[in-house]
Amino acid sequence: MAKERIAMGASIGFVGMVALAVIAGSIYALLHLLHTQRRRAEVRGVQWVQALRMLLMHVQRHRGLVSMYHNGELSVMEEIVLLRETIARDLGKISFVGEWINENQDWQGLTQHWARLSVGCLSMTSEKSFDQHCRIIVSVLAILEDVANYHYLNRSNFNEVKVLWHELLLIGELVGQSRALGVRILGYRSGDVQLSEHKKRIQAGLCEIEGLLGKASTRKKLSTSDMAALVEFIAFVRIQLIDNIGPVSANEYFTKATDTIDLIYERFDIEMQLLCRQLGIDK
């Protein structure tokens, strides 16, 4: 009897060990599955962020060129047409990444809004075109933030990565607004009642850029030369547009602002490459 009890106890113990091993294996498999799913989501999130960054840059440039067109610079029409085709490809690439974004109502609204604006912006007033472009850009930035949140890219163990789609892209957009409004100011015609409002908006944007540059998180992402170039651009805009001292042309101003925007996007791309390395994503 004693031997039977010992044998039964051993059997129960063995069954318990097997059950624990099965449970442990199941937990490991579940954790591995969750890790794999998260990793796939992170990779897809990076793909969307990079594609949305291209869309953002192209819509901003389109806004500036349309502003020049409204100023009578008809030579930009060819580039406007080419840029529309580029933006159409951007939209297609973003949709192709995955179904999540195609089911996003904000994305659906953005694509419909762009379809209307792309064919109607030249017949609008300059002010309405500027406003509608800005609305689309705000939507792109909001979707980019949603992508980052939903695909785990805002996790604390990534080195202040939120600065990329907050401070850096906001600085880029503020410079982009000053580009579009600036060429309008430089093409000023007598009786343009919006001139004063344009200057006020640019001045407010410059002050906002200065505030962002004063943040430690922003300074960590920008090199010394980046900071110097942005400070120099702010001074340049104030001299040319606010104080009316400089003799710069609309085309020269557009180029100067574009160079500054390119600087921001180059820094953004460098930081995205660092993020990809953290995630182990091959570029």
Side-chain angles (χ1 to χ4, degrees):
M1 184 69 68
K3 290 182 178 180
E4 290 177 357
R5 283 198 295 269
I6 292 172
M8 184 177 296
S11 177
I12 292 172
F14 176 74
V15 171
M17 290 175 63
V18 171
L20 287 173
V22 170
I23 292 171
S26 299
I27 292 173
Y28 174 81
L30 177 60
L31 291 175
H32 180 72
L33 176 62
L34 292 174
H35 175 76
T36 300
Q37 290 176 337
R38 172 168 286 196
R39 178 62 180 278
R40 288 174 180 168
E42 290 169 348
V43 171
R44 187 158 291 176
V46 168
Q47 291 173 331
W48 265 318
V49 166
Q50 292 170 326
L52 285 164
R53 164 254 193 267
M54 296 302 297
L55 174 64
L56 181 64
M57 181 181 70
H58 292 146
V59 173
Q60 288 169 332
R61 185 170 181 84
H62 188 271
R63 175 182 57 191
L65 290 172
V66 171
S67 184
M68 291 188 72
Y69 179 88
H70 282 136
N71 263 15
E73 190 65 49
L74 304 184
S75 63
V76 300
M77 185 62 197
E78 182 178 355
E79 187 176 355
I80 289 174
V81 172
L82 292 174
L83 203 48
R84 285 178 186 168
E85 295 172 357
T86 299
I87 292 171
R89 288 193 294 271
D90 289 339
L91 296 173
K93 289 177 183 177
I94 293 167
S95 294
F96 185 74
V97 172
E99 283 304 310
W100 177 86
I101 205 162
N102 295 317
E103 296 169 357
N104 184 292
Q105 291 185 348
D106 291 336
W107 175 252
Q108 293 171 7
L110 183 152
T111 56
Q112 293 167 9
H113 191 173
W114 170 253
R116 296 190 300 270
L117 180 61
S118 63
V119 297
C121 59
L122 298 182
S123 59
M124 297 176 180
T125 64
S126 179
E127 288 71 31
K128 185 174 182 180
S129 172
F130 175 84
D131 176 70
Q132 293 300 307
H133 277 89
C134 288
R135 289 174 184 269
I136 287 179
I137 289 166
V138 168
S139 295
V140 174
L141 291 171
I143 291 169
L144 204 154
E145 177 71 23
D146 288 344
V147 166
N149 284 328
Y150 189 82
H151 296 84
Y152 310 108
L153 299 182
N154 281 338
R155 287 190 288 150
S156 59
N157 56 320
F158 295 150
N159 184 25
E160 298 177 345
V161 72
K162 290 180 72 172
V163 174
L164 297 183
W165 27 88
H166 287 162
E167 282 85 342
L168 286 192
L169 291 186
L170 179 53
I171 290 172
E173 168 54 7
L174 292 168
V175 175
Q177 289 182 16
S178 76
R179 177 175 63 184
L181 293 173
V183 296
R184 181 71 176 169
I185 291 172
L186 292 167
Y188 166 72
R189 294 166 184 163
S190 179
D192 188 343
V193 296
Q194 295 292 327
L195 181 64
S196 177
E197 289 302 315
H198 292 341
K199 287 189 175 186
K200 287 180 182 178
R201 185 160 185 171
I202 288 176
Q203 177 70 342
L206 296 178
C207 290
E208 191 170 354
I209 293 173
E210 288 175 326
L212 291 167
L213 294 180
K215 297 177 67 172
S217 57
T218 307
R219 292 198 299 272
K220 286 181 181 179
K221 297 297 182 185
L222 295 171
S223 67
T224 302
S225 60
D226 292 338
M227 290 288 293
L230 285 164
V231 170
E232 189 271 333
F233 176 75
I234 291 170
F236 170 80
V237 175
R238 285 193 169 126
I239 290 171
Q240 300 294 336
L241 303 183
I242 309 303
D243 300 331
N244 297 321
I245 296 174
V248 71
S249 69
N251 282 323
E252 290 169 334
Y253 177 79
F254 187 93
T255 298
K256 176 74 172 179
T258 299
D259 289 343
T260 305
I261 294 171
D262 289 345
L263 176 152
I264 293 297
Y265 281 119
E266 286 170 8
R267 178 56 52 184
F268 181 89
D269 291 342
I270 290 171
E271 293 296 328
M272 283 302 298
Q273 288 174 359
L274 294 174
L275 175 59
C276 286
R277 290 196 193 102
Q278 283 184 273
L279 293 171
I281 300 172
D282 293 329
K283 282 285 290 157

